[in-house]
Amino acid sequence: MAIAALIPDRPAIWPVPAAAVLFAGLVLVDTALEWEPPFDALALLALLALWCGVAMVAGSRAVRARRDGRPRRALSLALLPMAFLVTVVQPGLVMGGAQSLGDRLHFAKGRPSYLAQVRAQPDTGEPKLLVWGWGGFIVASTSLVYDESDEVTLPPERQSASWKARVEHTDLTCPYGYRVRTALGGHFYAVGVGC
């Protein structure tokens, strides 16, 4: 009787917590945006390299399990390399989810302070607009925007001249533009900025 026939065909459990820990790492990198370059980029690259290494180990074990006639174990091990491939081929799917969750956690951590700063702004008759730089990568960073008029979400041709004047010396006028990443409620937005 072959040794492979004696090994039960049980699914591997470890790829699920490994994927969860790696996703949580992506969220943590985005939540801790106050890291200064190059540490933010290095943390992300290290995390992706770790994920790649773990995916390669799981993939090789999946091939071995399939060769040994254990299809359930092979399938369970193949899930981690497939998740990594999805992340590489469609980064917006996984990274976008991690980014949105990270934005929400980062905002929740400082929300009372942001609200206090909004309340402290004098009423000028214009809608209030405040921008906080959260940091990020070398040429792509994240800013928190409080925009009482919500014009930050409009295309440039629909934004008023007074709004454009209020944002003139903020991150929102960076040469590569911006995109609203996460609407955080109460006129707050996490905005990806290309500076």
Side-chain angles (χ1 to χ4, degrees):
M1 181 180 253
I3 294 175
L6 298 175
I7 302 172
D9 185 21
R10 286 190 220 130
I13 303 296
W14 70 266
V16 174
V21 166
L22 292 165
F23 182 77
L26 290 174
V27 172
L28 178 65
V29 167
D30 196 69
T31 302
L33 283 173
E34 58 269 0
W35 295 1
E36 292 298 320
F39 300 112
D40 51 4
L42 292 174
L44 181 62
L45 290 174
L47 188 62
L48 290 176
L50 176 64
W51 195 347
C52 180
V54 172
M56 288 171 52
V57 168
S60 68
R61 289 185 179 182
V63 169
R64 188 177 314 130
R66 180 68 184 116
R67 189 178 51 227
D68 290 344
R70 297 183 294 156
R72 285 187 284 194
R73 187 161 190 84
L75 179 61
S76 66
L77 288 165
L79 292 176
L80 192 57
M82 286 189 287
F84 179 74
L85 285 175
V86 168
T87 302
V88 170
V89 175
Q90 290 289 329
L93 192 62
V94 175
M95 302 286 272
Q99 202 172 54
S100 179
L101 184 55
D103 290 343
R104 291 178 191 289
L105 291 172
H106 190 85
F107 175 66
K109 181 174 67 173
R111 188 173 191 272
S113 171
Y114 299 130
L115 288 171
Q117 291 176 54
V118 168
R119 284 190 295 273
Q121 290 294 307
D123 273 334
T124 62
E126 293 281 330
K128 293 180 183 179
L129 177 84
L130 287 92
V131 179
W132 297 268
W134 274 356
F137 297 114
I138 296 166
V139 294
S141 61
T142 303
S143 292
L144 175 66
V145 176
Y146 176 82
D147 181 11
E148 213 166 46
S149 69
D150 297 320
E151 287 188 58
V152 70
T153 63
L154 298 176
E157 62 274 3
R158 293 190 49 214
Q159 293 167 337
S160 68
S162 65
W163 186 85
K164 289 178 182 179
R166 286 194 309 275
V167 301
E168 192 165 316
H169 299 291
T170 70
D171 290 350
L172 298 178
T173 59
C174 285
Y176 300 109
Y178 70 87
R179 76 176 173 83
V180 175
R181 282 191 346 200
T182 310
L184 299 166
H187 305 294
F188 284 99
Y189 302 91
V191 176
V193 180
C195 285

